[in-house]
Amino acid sequence: MAAARVLLLSGRPESVSFAQSVCGLLGAGPGLGPWPTYCGLKRGELVLSDRPFPGASARLPLQQPRAPGAELPTNRGVDLAVAVVLQSSDQTVLLTRRTQTLNVSPNLWVPPGGHVEPDEELLDGGLRELWEESGLQLPQGQFSGVPLGLWESAYPPRLSWGLPKYHHIILYLLVISQESQQQLQARIQPNPREVSALMWLGPDVAAAVAATEDGTETPRHLPQDLPPSVLAVELEENGGARPLVLPTSTLLRTTPATADSKERVSTGTKFALRLWLQHLGRFSLFLHTLCFQVELG
């Protein structure tokens, strides 16, 4: 699949090298981020700048898990991907588990998404990926879309796993459907080559997942009413599907130091869930409640 490029505006748009940190080029400091970035959302490409420019249509948070620290190829560019955070009318979002046979990020829970085609509108690319992975086609006029944020992604995610083979900027798009979770679920037909399971995540569990940081197996304190498991749907080898009771602790796992394909939610997805909850006005409430419970404890 032909890859679109991520461009950096410094006088004129220039392609960013695979070996360069996009966050670093935009002046990101040593803190945790995210850093505000001006974006031009064009067909098949993403133009970024640390200051306003003609044609910029959004100012989005940009974050990366860590700065690169190794010799990388300089003859490749940064690819562009889009991921759809699909919200139902009853405020749940769809996550899919990538199959174990995929070369990149196997067995991770992520929103549907993938590469943007050349000359493809970014929303159209996201909706195409949503359809290719889940079989969902959203009726025209029954959904709205808004950019949530940008994630600078490298795979493998840690240098201890080996040198990065892929370098992407992922644009997370919030797509708000007028249909309920039940209505959407009834039409889902997952692609078994890419998806091995799916689930709908509500704000309460999503907030706990989003609060899990790398470096700890679980947050220090979890809400007292956090359910021990969530219900998902797992694909069977014969093409059918079965209910899957997934321990909530699985969703709270962080990136391990050594390479494995243990099931977990990707770090970028946690960032996207945090942005979604902020959009709902729920994440700050979650943190306030969490602090209150800690004080009581």
Side-chain angles (χ1 to χ4, degrees):
M1 183 181 293
R5 294 301 183 198
V6 174
L7 305 177
L8 193 68
L9 189 62
S10 54
R12 62 185 180 85
E14 296 181 357
S15 180
V16 181
S17 167
F18 184 96
Q20 293 174 296
S21 161
V22 176
C23 284
L25 291 171
L26 289 169
L32 297 176
W35 299 275
T37 304
Y38 293 91
C39 308
L41 306 177
K42 296 187 176 182
R43 296 181 69 88
E45 63 184 23
L46 187 69
V47 181
L48 302 176
S49 176
D50 60 353
R51 62 194 64 189
F53 61 89
S57 58
R59 187 169 183 258
L60 300 177
L62 169 67
Q63 187 159 355
Q64 66 175 177
R66 60 194 57 81
E71 292 294 328
L72 299 173
T74 57
N75 60 346
R76 293 169 55 186
V78 178
D79 292 335
L80 174 62
V82 63
V84 169
V85 180
L86 177 62
Q87 175 187 315
S88 66
S89 62
D90 39 353
Q91 294 190 344
T92 61
V93 292
L94 176 66
L95 294 185
T96 61
R97 189 180 66 193
R98 293 170 59 83
T99 64
Q100 289 186 321
T101 57
L102 292 173
N103 292 328
V104 180
S105 303
N107 221 23
L108 291 191
W109 285 95
V110 296
H115 282 101
V116 179
E117 298 281 10
D119 298 325
E120 186 175 38
E121 293 286 356
L122 298 182
L123 177 58
D124 292 342
L127 294 176
R128 173 184 53 76
E129 289 288 344
L130 174 66
W131 172 72
E132 289 179 359
E133 294 184 15
S134 72
L136 276 175
Q137 287 186 302
L138 303 181
Q140 289 294 327
Q142 295 190 30
F143 67 90
S144 59
V146 59
L148 275 182
L150 302 162
W151 178 260
E152 185 169 9
S153 171
Y155 186 83
R158 290 187 185 274
L159 289 175
S160 57
W161 293 31
L163 294 180
K165 299 177 182 178
Y166 302 92
H167 187 175
H168 289 83
I169 290 290
I170 302 173
L171 171 65
Y172 287 105
L173 287 173
L174 174 61
V175 174
I176 304 173
S177 172
Q178 296 179 13
E179 297 179 275
S180 67
Q181 171 188 326
Q182 184 177 11
Q183 290 172 310
L184 293 167
Q185 178 64 37
R187 300 205 314 277
I188 284 182
Q189 295 181 326
N191 178 354
R193 292 188 299 274
E194 298 189 45
V195 174
S196 62
L198 58 91
M199 68 176 165
W200 294 90
L201 211 57
D204 292 341
V205 176
V209 173
T212 307
E213 298 178 357
D214 271 351
T216 58
E217 182 63 20
T218 60
R220 291 183 178 180
H221 302 280
L222 293 174
Q224 296 173 358
D225 56 352
L226 189 66
S229 62
V230 294
L231 186 62
V233 176
E234 187 170 46
L235 303 188
E236 298 177 317
E237 292 184 0
N238 61 6
R242 62 187 177 195
L244 171 66
V245 179
L246 188 68
T248 303
S249 58
T250 299
L251 305 179
L252 304 178
R253 289 173 177 159
T254 57
T255 308
T258 55
D260 67 21
S261 57
K262 184 178 289 187
E263 183 178 6
R264 57 187 172 84
V265 177
S266 77
T267 310
T269 299
K270 293 177 182 180
F271 170 65
L273 289 174
R274 187 159 65 245
L275 296 178
W276 171 59
L277 292 163
Q278 289 170 353
H279 184 86
L280 291 180
R282 297 288 293 270
F283 194 64
S284 57
L285 177 61
F286 168 82
L287 293 179
H288 175 77
T289 303
L290 196 58
C291 291
F292 180 71
Q293 290 182 358
V294 171
E295 290 174 1
L296 288 181

